[in-house]
């Protein structure tokens, strides 16, 4: 995983640009992947956000373990941060995003009311790492194609104001706030979720780590998907078992492991194996 780089120069530029925009808004909406809320966070976010009210949206919740997502929401609550689990594909909880924005800004609206200000408009900035689903969520909220979407990281290239409704304006930002890959597992978890381009990865290593994790955490899902009676602690043995079950065989009866890696990672990312999470909050 040593080929994944973190670019301090790009980070400094992103921090400066977003920091300037933060001054213009009432609320920070931070998007995280519900499967990996820690690994899908940039370490500069707290510094950028400062004391601004914040709402955390745990995206792609339909493919995360609901019990673990609840743990994360309880964790954020203990930190005094409002959070909501959403899914733009199934539209789960999307209708609650605006009410939660208002809830996160209760103090601001109370102050406006005291001063006799009738303005109900919320200006919010939406931030997150590449490929976390910002553009898809913006389009779902706005009920139109207001932001460019793509299944590869780094599709949003500029900052744009988007009107969701009469009372909510969203400022989209490019997904350039990469996490810091000091911990090798951060890179591996992002890879497992498809948040890093496959071209820069060692797919063998990612597949082996993913299978190792599933054997330890979700063994029944793994057994059920691939019709396996027993599992091995050796991920390569499990890869061979899957290969034999799926007919990924080369001449001479040897398992075509490369074909298994691609097949397995595709099924993991498209939830064919099941809904699962790859990290829990450290309480």
């Amino acid at each position: 995983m040593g080929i994944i780089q973190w670019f301090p120069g790009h980070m400094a530029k992103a921090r400066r640009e977003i920091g300037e925009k933060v001054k213009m808004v009432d609320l920070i909406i931070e998007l995280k992947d519900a499967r990996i809320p820690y690994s899908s966070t940039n370490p500069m976010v707290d510094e950028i956000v400062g004391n601004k009210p914040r709402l955390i949206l745990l995206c792609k919740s339909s493919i995360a373990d609901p019990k673990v997502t609840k743990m994360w929401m309880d964790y954020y609550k203990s930190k005094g941060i409002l959070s909501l689990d959403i899914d733009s594909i199934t539209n789960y909880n999307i209708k609650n995003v605006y009410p939660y924005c208002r809830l996160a800004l209760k103090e601001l609206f109370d102050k406006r009311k005291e001063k006799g200000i009738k303005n109900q408009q919320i200006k919010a900035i939406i931030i997150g790492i590449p490929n976390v689903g910002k553009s898809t969520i913006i389009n779902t909220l706005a009920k139109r194609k207001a932001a460019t979407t793509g299944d590869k990281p780094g599709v949003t290239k500029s900052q744009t104001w988007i009107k969701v409704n009469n009372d909510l304006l969203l400022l989209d930002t490019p997904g350039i706030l990469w996490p810091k890959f000091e911990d090798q597992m951060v890179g591996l978890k992002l890879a497992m979720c498809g948040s890093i381009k496959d071209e820069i990865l060692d797919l063998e290593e990612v597949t082996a780590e993913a299978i190792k994790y599933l054997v330890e955490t979700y063994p029944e899902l793994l057994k059920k998907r691939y019709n396996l009676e027993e599992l091995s602690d050796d991920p390569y043995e499990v890869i061979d078992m899957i290969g034999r079950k799926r007919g990924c065989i080369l001449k001479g009866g040897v398992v075509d492991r490369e074909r298994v890696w691609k097949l397995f990672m595709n099924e993991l990312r498209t939830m064919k194996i099941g809904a699962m999470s790859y990290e829990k909050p450290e309480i």
Side-chain angles (χ1 to χ4, degrees):
M1 299 296 288
I3 48 173
I4 298 173
Q5 299 297 323
W6 202 67
F7 304 104
H10 293 188
M11 290 300 105
K13 184 171 182 279
R15 189 208 170 286
R16 204 163 48 243
E17 287 178 358
I18 295 173
E20 287 166 8
K21 300 292 182 183
V22 161
K23 295 171 189 172
M24 301 161 54
V25 302
D26 309 305
L27 177 68
I28 314 293
I29 300 176
E30 185 186 355
L31 270 52
K32 298 174 186 266
D33 189 315
R35 297 165 293 177
I36 50 168
Y38 169 73
S39 294
S40 59
T41 302
N42 176 277
M44 287 184 182
V45 166
D46 287 342
E47 186 189 336
I48 294 168
V49 170
N51 294 321
K52 286 271 182 180
R54 186 187 331 191
L55 170 63
I56 290 175
L57 297 182
L58 294 169
C59 308
K60 307 180 184 181
S61 65
S62 71
I63 53 178
D65 184 330
K67 290 178 185 173
V68 179
T69 301
K70 174 72 167 58
M71 289 170 67
W72 278 104
M73 292 172 74
D74 289 343
Y75 169 76
Y76 291 125
K77 188 178 179 182
S78 74
K79 300 283 184 185
I81 302 171
L82 196 62
S83 66
L84 180 69
D85 56 328
I86 65 165
D87 195 287
S88 54
I89 305 301
T90 62
N91 274 347
Y92 173 71
N93 257 345
I94 293 292
K95 69 179 186 298
N96 289 321
V97 172
Y98 175 62
Y100 265 66
C101 287
R102 292 192 63 83
L103 196 57
L105 289 172
K106 187 180 181 302
E107 278 186 37
L108 175 71
F109 283 114
D110 287 346
K111 283 177 185 174
R112 283 182 184 176
K113 196 174 180 181
E114 282 171 23
K115 292 176 182 176
I117 300 169
K118 292 182 179 179
N119 180 14
Q120 296 290 301
Q121 193 177 69
I122 295 170
K123 284 186 174 180
I125 190 169
I126 191 158
I127 63 175
I129 68 161
N131 211 31
V132 77
K134 291 196 310 299
S135 299
T136 304
I137 283 158
I138 288 168
N139 291 339
T140 307
L141 286 169
K143 297 185 173 71
R144 67 185 190 280
K145 191 170 182 181
T148 308
T149 60
D151 61 358
K152 289 192 175 182
V155 171
T156 307
K157 301 295 181 190
S158 60
Q159 293 171 329
T160 319
W161 282 103
I162 292 145
K163 187 178 179 181
V164 171
N165 58 40
N166 288 333
D167 293 325
L168 180 59
L169 284 176
L170 282 182
L171 181 58
D172 188 15
T173 54
I176 47 178
L177 288 172
W178 282 104
K180 197 164 190 176
F181 301 106
E182 284 176 341
D183 178 356
Q184 186 190 22
M185 286 310 296
V186 169
L188 286 166
K189 287 172 187 174
L190 284 160
M192 284 155 68
C193 292
S195 293
I196 299 175
K197 291 177 182 175
D198 279 348
E199 301 92 85
I200 63 169
L201 293 172
D202 181 343
L203 200 60
E204 177 184 353
E205 185 182 3
V206 176
T207 307
E209 284 294 335
I211 285 177
K212 189 177 169 185
Y213 180 80
L214 263 64
V215 167
E216 292 170 1
T217 318
Y218 298 103
E220 295 311 313
L221 290 179
L222 193 58
K223 285 197 275 191
K224 186 178 179 183
R225 178 64 189 170
Y226 297 106
N227 195 23
L228 305 174
E229 290 181 14
E230 296 295 330
L231 295 173
S232 168
D233 290 335
D234 181 347
Y236 288 95
E237 284 185 22
V238 178
I239 287 168
D240 288 346
M241 290 177 194
I242 293 169
R244 283 190 284 272
K245 286 285 184 180
R246 289 297 179 89
C248 302
I249 306 295
L250 296 166
K251 285 180 181 177
V254 180
V255 171
D256 185 346
R257 285 183 172 176
E258 192 169 344
R259 196 171 147 204
V260 179
W261 302 337
K262 290 175 182 175
L263 177 147
F264 173 81
M265 290 309 301
N266 177 59
E267 297 201 344
L268 182 73
R269 291 167 180 168
T270 54
M271 212 187 75
K272 289 188 173 75
I273 299 172
M276 59 189 81
S277 297
Y278 304 125
E279 56 195 20
K280 294 177 182 176
E282 293 175 9
I283 299 169

